[in-house]
């Protein structure tokens, strides 16, 4: 398999006269089969920002993207979901994706609240991953950044 990365920029032009200029970048990373090898089962941990700043459309988009990801997984895959505001919460414990509707229901239940402590959300997975049987092959982090709309970063 090989990785295929595609990108889309919201506006490729930057005005040099503007002191600050914002652009949104969408990255898509896909594993592309090069022959007969089957897809390797994935063990994914989603780390989702549900802080107060995520109220309304930002959190709606995160929930929609997370549920879309659940739809793309199959029974061989494993998934865990950690949400954070000022502290991390296990929304979906590490489990096989054999009941996707139940997982999506739990994701849809996320509500915006509290402050933003990104370190707590990411740090929880790194500190407690082994003990909580979360040994993901990939981590997906969704949060607004200081100057952009919702961004997702995938670390393998």
């Amino acid at each position: 398999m090989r990785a295929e990365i595609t990108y889309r920029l919201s506006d490729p032009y930057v005005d040099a006269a503007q002191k600050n200029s914002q652009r949104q970048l969408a990255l898509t990373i896909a594993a592309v089969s090069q022959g007969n090898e089957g897809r390797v089962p994935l063990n994914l941990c989603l780390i989702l920002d549900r802080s107060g700043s995520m109220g309304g459309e930002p959190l709606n988009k995160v929930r929609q993207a997370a549920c879309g990801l659940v739809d793309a997984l199959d029974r061989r895959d494993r998934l865990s979901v950690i949400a954070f505001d000022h502290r991390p919460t296990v929304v979906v414990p590490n489990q096989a994706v054999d009941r996707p509707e139940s997982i999506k229901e739990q994701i849809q239940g996320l509500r915006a609240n509290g402050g933003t402590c990104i370190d707590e959300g990411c740090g929880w997975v790194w500190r407690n991953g082994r003990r909580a049987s979360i040994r993901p092959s990939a981590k997906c982090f969704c949060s607004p950044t200081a100057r952009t709309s919702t961004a997702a970063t995938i670390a393998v």
Side-chain angles (χ1 to χ4, degrees):
M1 269 191 210
R2 65 180 174 80
E4 180 177 278
I5 301 173
T6 57
Y7 67 92
R8 188 178 45 152
L9 195 56
S10 64
D11 181 359
Y13 304 103
V14 177
D15 184 350
Q18 288 183 343
K19 185 175 181 177
N20 293 320
S21 184
Q22 297 182 21
R23 299 294 179 270
Q24 287 75 43
L25 174 66
L27 289 176
T28 302
I29 303 172
V32 180
S33 175
Q34 294 179 311
N36 294 2
E37 77 269 6
R39 181 175 73 79
V40 175
L42 182 64
N43 186 0
L44 180 67
C45 179
L46 293 178
I47 305 169
L48 307 178
D49 184 350
R50 65 151 180 205
S51 62
S53 64
M54 292 294 288
E57 192 61 22
L59 188 56
N60 288 339
K61 287 185 177 187
V62 167
R63 285 191 297 246
Q64 180 182 8
C67 288
L69 179 70
V70 171
D71 287 335
L73 299 174
D74 65 37
R75 299 175 88 78
R76 299 173 302 147
D77 299 314
R78 297 188 67 79
L79 177 69
S80 53
V81 179
I82 309 298
F84 70 90
D85 43 30
H86 56 280
R87 68 178 188 275
T89 303
V90 177
V91 177
V92 177
N94 188 276
Q95 60 187 267
V97 185
D98 53 2
R99 294 181 26 224
E101 294 306 316
S102 173
I103 293 171
K104 290 191 297 186
E105 188 176 299
Q106 292 173 57
I107 291 169
Q108 289 295 343
L110 289 174
R111 301 291 175 251
N113 188 26
T116 304
C117 191
I118 293 170
D119 290 345
E120 286 297 318
C122 294
W124 189 93
V125 173
W126 276 263
R127 287 188 309 272
N128 299 296
R130 279 207 163 88
R131 186 175 51 209
S133 298
I134 300 173
R135 294 183 194 101
S137 50
K139 301 165 194 78
C140 182
F141 171 71
C142 298
S143 173
T145 59
R147 294 198 165 145
T148 64
S149 62
T150 302
T153 302
I154 298 178
V156 178

Coordinates of all heavy atoms in Angstrom, one line a residue, residues 35-101:
G35 N -2.1 -3.7 -5.3 CA -2.2 -5.0 -5.8 C -3.2 -5.8 -5.0 O -4.2 -5.4 -4.7
N36 N -2.7 -7.0 -4.6 CA -3.6 -8.0 -4.0 C -3.7 -7.8 -2.5 O -4.5 -8.5 -1.8 CB -3.2 -9.4 -4.3 CG -3.3 -9.7 -5.8 OD1 -3.8 -8.8 -6.5 ND2 -3.0 -10.9 -6.2
E37 N -2.8 -7.0 -1.9 CA -2.8 -6.9 -0.4 C -4.2 -6.3 0.1 O -4.7 -5.4 -0.5 CB -1.7 -6.1 0.1 CG -1.8 -4.6 0.0 CD -1.2 -4.0 -1.3 OE1 -0.8 -4.7 -2.2 OE2 -1.3 -2.8 -1.4
G38 N -4.7 -6.9 1.1 CA -5.9 -6.4 1.7 C -5.6 -5.3 2.6 O -4.5 -5.0 3.0
R39 N -6.7 -4.6 3.0 CA -6.5 -3.4 3.9 C -6.2 -4.0 5.3 O -6.9 -4.9 5.7 CB -7.8 -2.6 3.9 CG -7.7 -1.4 4.8 CD -8.9 -0.5 4.7 NE -10.1 -1.0 5.3 CZ -10.3 -1.0 6.7 NH1 -9.4 -0.5 7.5 NH2 -11.4 -1.5 7.1
V40 N -5.3 -3.4 5.9 CA -4.9 -3.8 7.3 C -6.0 -3.2 8.2 O -6.3 -2.0 8.1 CB -3.5 -3.3 7.7 CG1 -3.2 -3.5 9.1 CG2 -2.5 -3.8 6.7
P41 N -6.5 -3.9 9.2 CA -7.4 -3.4 10.1 C -6.8 -2.2 10.9 O -5.6 -2.2 11.2 CB -7.7 -4.5 11.1 CG -7.4 -5.8 10.3 CD -6.2 -5.4 9.4
L42 N -7.6 -1.2 11.1 CA -7.2 0.0 11.7 C -7.6 0.1 13.2 O -8.7 -0.4 13.5 CB -7.9 1.2 11.0 CG -7.5 2.6 11.4 CD1 -6.0 2.9 11.2 CD2 -8.3 3.6 10.6
N43 N -6.8 0.6 14.0 CA -7.1 0.9 15.4 C -7.0 2.4 15.6 O -5.9 2.9 15.7 CB -6.2 0.1 16.4 CG -6.6 0.2 17.8 OD1 -7.6 0.9 18.1 ND2 -5.8 -0.4 18.7
L44 N -8.1 3.1 15.6 CA -8.1 4.6 15.5 C -8.6 5.2 16.8 O -9.6 4.7 17.4 CB -9.0 5.0 14.3 CG -9.1 6.5 14.1 CD1 -7.8 7.1 13.6 CD2 -10.2 6.7 13.0
C45 N -8.0 6.2 17.2 CA -8.5 7.0 18.4 C -8.8 8.4 17.9 O -7.9 9.1 17.4 CB -7.4 7.1 19.5 SG -7.9 8.0 20.9
L46 N -10.0 8.8 18.0 CA -10.4 10.2 17.7 C -10.3 11.0 18.9 O -10.9 10.6 20.0 CB -11.9 10.2 17.1 CG -12.1 9.6 15.8 CD1 -13.6 9.7 15.5 CD2 -11.3 10.2 14.7
I47 N -9.7 12.2 18.8 CA -9.6 13.1 20.0 C -10.3 14.4 19.5 O -9.9 15.1 18.6 CB -8.1 13.4 20.3 CG1 -7.3 12.1 20.5 CG2 -8.0 14.4 21.5 CD1 -5.8 12.3 20.6
L48 N -11.5 14.6 20.1 CA -12.4 15.6 19.6 C -12.5 16.8 20.6 O -12.8 16.5 21.8 CB -13.8 15.0 19.3 CG -13.8 13.8 18.4 CD1 -15.3 13.3 18.3 CD2 -13.2 14.2 17.1
D49 N -12.4 18.0 20.1 CA -12.6 19.2 21.0 C -14.1 19.5 21.1 O -14.8 19.6 20.1 CB -11.9 20.4 20.2 CG -11.9 21.7 21.0 OD1 -12.7 21.7 22.1 OD2 -11.3 22.6 20.6
R50 N -14.6 19.5 22.3 CA -16.0 19.9 22.6 C -16.1 21.1 23.5 O -17.1 21.2 24.2 CB -16.7 18.7 23.2 CG -16.2 18.3 24.5 CD -17.3 17.7 25.3 NE -16.7 17.3 26.6 CZ -17.2 16.4 27.4 NH1 -18.2 15.7 26.9 NH2 -16.7 16.1 28.6
S51 N -15.0 21.9 23.6 CA -15.0 23.0 24.5 C -16.1 24.0 24.0 O -16.7 23.9 23.0 CB -13.6 23.7 24.5 OG -13.3 24.1 23.2
G52 N -16.3 25.0 24.9 CA -17.3 26.0 24.6 C -17.2 26.7 23.3 O -18.2 27.1 22.7
S53 N -15.9 26.9 22.9 CA -15.7 27.6 21.6 C -16.2 26.8 20.4 O -16.3 27.3 19.3 CB -14.2 27.9 21.4 OG -13.5 26.7 21.3
M54 N -16.5 25.5 20.6 CA -17.0 24.7 19.5 C -18.5 24.7 19.4 O -19.0 24.0 18.5 CB -16.5 23.2 19.8 CG -15.0 23.0 19.7 SD -14.4 23.2 18.1 CE -15.0 21.8 17.3
G55 N -19.2 25.5 20.1 CA -20.6 25.6 20.1 C -21.1 25.9 18.7 O -20.5 26.6 17.9
G56 N -22.3 25.3 18.3 CA -22.9 25.5 17.0 C -22.3 24.8 15.9 O -22.0 23.6 16.0
E57 N -22.0 25.5 14.8 CA -21.5 24.9 13.5 C -20.2 24.1 13.7 O -20.1 23.0 13.1 CB -21.5 25.9 12.4 CG -21.3 25.3 11.0 CD -22.4 24.4 10.6 OE1 -23.5 24.5 11.1 OE2 -22.2 23.6 9.7
P58 N -19.2 24.6 14.4 CA -17.9 23.9 14.5 C -18.1 22.5 15.0 O -17.6 21.5 14.5 CB -17.1 24.7 15.4 CG -17.6 26.1 15.2 CD -19.1 26.0 15.0
L59 N -18.9 22.3 16.1 CA -19.1 21.0 16.7 C -20.0 20.2 15.8 O -19.8 19.0 15.7 CB -19.7 21.1 18.1 CG -19.7 19.8 18.9 CD1 -18.4 19.1 19.0 CD2 -20.3 20.0 20.3
N60 N -20.9 20.8 15.1 CA -21.8 20.0 14.2 C -20.9 19.4 13.1 O -21.1 18.2 12.7 CB -22.8 20.9 13.5 CG -23.9 21.3 14.5 OD1 -24.1 20.6 15.5 ND2 -24.6 22.4 14.2
K61 N -19.9 20.2 12.6 CA -19.0 19.6 11.6 C -18.1 18.5 12.1 O -17.9 17.5 11.4 CB -18.2 20.8 11.0 CG -19.0 21.7 10.1 CD -18.2 22.7 9.4 CE -19.0 23.6 8.5 NZ -18.2 24.5 7.7
V62 N -17.6 18.7 13.3 CA -16.8 17.6 13.9 C -17.6 16.4 14.1 O -17.2 15.3 13.7 CB -16.2 18.1 15.3 CG1 -15.6 16.9 16.0 CG2 -15.1 19.2 15.0
R63 N -18.8 16.5 14.6 CA -19.7 15.3 14.7 C -20.0 14.6 13.4 O -19.9 13.4 13.3 CB -21.0 15.7 15.4 CG -20.9 15.9 16.9 CD -22.2 16.0 17.6 NE -23.0 17.2 17.1 CZ -23.4 18.2 17.8 NH1 -23.0 18.3 19.1 NH2 -24.1 19.2 17.3
Q64 N -20.3 15.5 12.4 CA -20.6 14.9 11.1 C -19.3 14.2 10.5 O -19.5 13.1 10.0 CB -21.0 16.1 10.1 CG -21.3 15.7 8.7 CD -21.6 16.8 7.8 OE1 -21.5 18.0 8.2 NE2 -22.1 16.6 6.6
A65 N -18.2 14.8 10.6 CA -16.9 14.1 10.1 C -16.6 12.9 10.9 O -16.3 11.8 10.3 CB -15.8 15.1 10.2
A66 N -16.8 12.9 12.2 CA -16.5 11.7 13.0 C -17.5 10.5 12.6 O -17.1 9.4 12.5 CB -16.6 12.0 14.5
C67 N -18.8 10.9 12.4 CA -19.8 9.9 12.1 C -19.5 9.3 10.6 O -19.7 8.1 10.4 CB -21.2 10.4 12.2 SG -21.7 10.6 13.9
G68 N -19.1 10.2 9.8 CA -18.7 9.8 8.4 C -17.5 8.8 8.5 O -17.5 7.8 7.7
L69 N -16.6 9.1 9.4 CA -15.5 8.2 9.5 C -15.9 6.8 10.0 O -15.5 5.8 9.5 CB -14.4 8.8 10.5 CG -13.2 7.9 10.7 CD1 -12.3 7.8 9.5 CD2 -12.4 8.4 11.9
V70 N -16.8 6.8 11.0 CA -17.4 5.5 11.5 C -18.0 4.7 10.4 O -17.8 3.5 10.3 CB -18.4 5.8 12.6 CG1 -19.1 4.5 13.0 CG2 -17.7 6.4 13.9
D71 N -18.7 5.4 9.5 CA -19.3 4.7 8.3 C -18.3 4.1 7.4 O -18.6 3.1 6.7 CB -20.2 5.7 7.5 CG -21.5 6.1 8.3 OD1 -21.9 5.3 9.1 OD2 -22.0 7.2 8.0
A72 N -17.1 4.7 7.3 CA -16.1 4.2 6.5 C -15.3 3.0 7.1 O -14.6 2.3 6.3 CB -15.1 5.3 6.1
L73 N -15.5 2.8 8.4 CA -14.8 1.6 9.0 C -15.6 0.4 8.9 O -16.8 0.4 8.5 CB -14.6 2.0 10.5 CG -13.7 3.2 10.8 CD1 -13.6 3.5 12.3 CD2 -12.3 3.0 10.2
D74 N -15.0 -0.8 9.1 CA -15.7 -2.0 9.1 C -15.5 -2.8 10.4 O -14.7 -2.4 11.3 CB -15.5 -2.8 7.8 CG -14.0 -3.3 7.7 OD1 -13.4 -3.7 8.7 OD2 -13.5 -3.4 6.6
R75 N -16.0 -4.0 10.5 CA -16.0 -4.8 11.7 C -14.6 -5.2 12.1 O -14.4 -5.6 13.3 CB -16.8 -6.1 11.5 CG -18.3 -5.8 11.2 CD -19.0 -7.1 10.9 NE -19.5 -7.8 12.1 CZ -20.6 -7.5 12.7 NH1 -21.3 -6.4 12.3 NH2 -21.0 -8.2 13.8
R76 N -13.6 -5.2 11.2 CA -12.3 -5.6 11.5 C -11.5 -4.4 12.3 O -10.5 -4.6 12.9 CB -11.4 -5.9 10.3 CG -12.0 -7.1 9.5 CD -11.3 -7.3 8.2 NE -11.4 -6.1 7.4 CZ -10.4 -5.6 6.6 NH1 -9.3 -6.3 6.4 NH2 -10.6 -4.5 5.9
D77 N -12.1 -3.2 12.1 CA -11.4 -2.0 12.7 C -11.8 -1.8 14.2 O -12.9 -2.3 14.6 CB -11.8 -0.8 11.9 CG -11.3 -0.9 10.5 OD1 -10.2 -1.2 10.2 OD2 -12.2 -0.6 9.6
R78 N -11.0 -1.1 14.9 CA -11.3 -0.7 16.3 C -11.3 0.8 16.3 O -10.6 1.5 15.6 CB -10.2 -1.3 17.2 CG -10.2 -2.8 17.2 CD -9.3 -3.4 18.3 NE -9.8 -3.1 19.6 CZ -10.8 -3.8 20.2 NH1 -11.4 -4.8 19.6 NH2 -11.2 -3.5 21.5
L79 N -12.1 1.3 17.3 CA -12.2 2.8 17.4 C -12.4 3.1 18.9 O -13.1 2.4 19.6 CB -13.4 3.3 16.6 CG -13.7 4.7 16.7 CD1 -12.7 5.6 16.0 CD2 -15.1 5.0 16.1
S80 N -11.8 4.2 19.3 CA -12.0 4.9 20.5 C -12.2 6.4 20.3 O -11.7 6.9 19.3 CB -10.9 4.6 21.5 OG -9.7 5.0 21.0
V81 N -13.0 7.0 21.1 CA -13.2 8.4 21.0 C -13.0 9.1 22.3 O -13.7 8.7 23.3 CB -14.7 8.7 20.4 CG1 -14.9 10.2 20.3 CG2 -14.9 8.0 19.1
I82 N -12.1 10.1 22.3 CA -11.9 10.9 23.5 C -12.3 12.3 23.2 O -11.9 12.8 22.2 CB -10.4 10.9 23.9 CG1 -9.8 9.5 24.0 CG2 -10.1 11.7 25.2 CD1 -10.4 8.6 25.0
A83 N -13.1 12.9 24.1 CA -13.5 14.3 23.9 C -12.9 15.1 25.0 O -12.6 14.6 26.1 CB -15.0 14.4 23.9
F84 N -12.5 16.3 24.7 CA -12.0 17.2 25.7 C -12.6 18.6 25.7 O -13.0 19.1 24.7 CB -10.4 17.3 25.6 CG -10.0 18.1 24.4 CD1 -9.7 19.4 24.5 CD2 -9.8 17.4 23.2 CE1 -9.3 20.2 23.4 CE2 -9.3 18.2 22.1 CZ -9.1 19.5 22.2
D85 N -12.6 19.1 26.9 CA -12.9 20.6 27.1 C -11.8 21.0 28.0 O -10.6 21.0 27.6 CB -14.3 20.9 27.6 CG -14.7 19.9 28.8 OD1 -13.9 19.4 29.5 OD2 -16.0 19.7 28.9
H86 N -12.0 21.2 29.3 CA -11.0 21.5 30.3 C -10.4 20.2 30.9 O -9.4 20.2 31.6 CB -11.4 22.4 31.4 CG -12.6 21.9 32.1 ND1 -13.9 22.1 31.6 CD2 -12.8 21.3 33.3 CE1 -14.8 21.6 32.4 NE2 -14.1 21.1 33.5
R87 N -11.0 19.0 30.5 CA -10.5 17.7 30.9 C -11.0 16.7 29.9 O -12.0 16.9 29.2 CB -11.0 17.3 32.3 CG -12.5 17.1 32.4 CD -12.9 16.7 33.8 NE -14.3 16.3 33.8 CZ -15.3 17.1 33.9 NH1 -15.2 18.4 34.0 NH2 -16.6 16.6 33.9
P88 N -10.3 15.6 29.7 CA -10.7 14.6 28.8 C -11.8 13.6 29.3 O -11.9 13.4 30.5 CB -9.4 13.8 28.6 CG -8.6 13.9 29.9 CD -9.0 15.3 30.4
T89 N -12.6 13.1 28.4 CA -13.6 12.2 28.7 C -13.6 11.1 27.7 O -13.6 11.4 26.5 CB -15.0 12.9 28.7 OG1 -15.0 14.0 29.6 CG2 -16.1 11.9 29.1
V90 N -13.7 9.8 28.1 CA -13.8 8.7 27.2 C -15.3 8.7 26.7 O -16.2 8.4 27.5 CB -13.4 7.4 27.8 CG1 -13.6 6.2 26.8 CG2 -11.9 7.5 28.3
V91 N -15.5 8.9 25.4 CA -16.9 8.9 24.9 C -17.2 7.5 24.4 O -18.3 7.0 24.6 CB -17.0 9.9 23.7 CG1 -18.4 9.9 23.1 CG2 -16.7 11.3 24.2
V92 N -16.2 6.9 23.7 CA -16.3 5.6 23.2 C -15.1 4.8 23.6 O -14.0 5.1 23.1 CB -16.5 5.5 21.6 CG1 -16.5 4.1 21.1 CG2 -17.7 6.3 21.2
P93 N -15.2 3.8 24.5 CA -14.0 3.0 24.8 C -13.6 2.2 23.6 O -14.4 1.9 22.7 CB -14.5 2.1 26.0 CG -15.9 2.3 26.0 CD -16.4 3.4 25.2
N94 N -12.3 1.9 23.6 CA -11.7 1.1 22.5 C -12.5 -0.1 22.2 O -12.7 -0.9 23.1 CB -10.3 0.8 22.8 CG -9.6 0.2 21.6 OD1 -9.7 -1.0 21.3 ND2 -8.9 1.0 20.8
Q95 N -13.1 -0.3 21.0 CA -13.9 -1.4 20.7 C -13.9 -1.7 19.2 O -13.6 -0.8 18.4 CB -15.4 -1.1 21.2 CG -16.0 0.1 20.5 CD -17.3 0.4 21.2 OE1 -18.4 -0.1 20.7 NE2 -17.3 1.1 22.2
A96 N -14.3 -2.9 18.9 CA -14.5 -3.2 17.4 C -15.7 -2.4 16.9 O -16.6 -2.1 17.6 CB -14.8 -4.7 17.3
V97 N -15.6 -2.1 15.6 CA -16.7 -1.3 15.0 C -17.8 -2.3 14.5 O -18.0 -2.4 13.3 CB -16.1 -0.4 13.9 CG1 -17.3 0.5 13.3 CG2 -15.0 0.5 14.4
D98 N -18.4 -3.0 15.4 CA -19.4 -3.9 15.0 C -20.8 -3.4 15.3 O -21.8 -4.0 14.9 CB -19.2 -5.3 15.7 CG -19.1 -5.2 17.2 OD1 -19.2 -4.1 17.8 OD2 -18.9 -6.2 17.9
R99 N -20.9 -2.2 16.0 CA -22.2 -1.6 16.2 C -22.0 -0.1 15.8 O -22.0 0.8 16.7 CB -22.7 -1.8 17.6 CG -23.0 -3.3 17.9 CD -23.5 -3.5 19.3 NE -24.1 -2.4 19.9 CZ -23.9 -2.0 21.2 NH1 -23.1 -2.7 21.9 NH2 -24.5 -1.0 21.7
P100 N -21.8 0.2 14.6 CA -21.6 1.6 14.2 C -22.6 2.6 14.6 O -22.3 3.8 14.9 CB -21.4 1.6 12.7 CG -22.0 0.3 12.2 CD -21.9 -0.6 13.4
E101 N -23.9 2.2 14.6 CA -25.0 3.1 14.9 C -24.9 3.5 16.4 O -25.1 4.7 16.7 CB -26.3 2.5 14.6 CG -26.6 2.3 13.1 CD -26.4 3.6 12.3 OE1 -26.9 4.7 12.7 OE2 -25.8 3.5 11.2

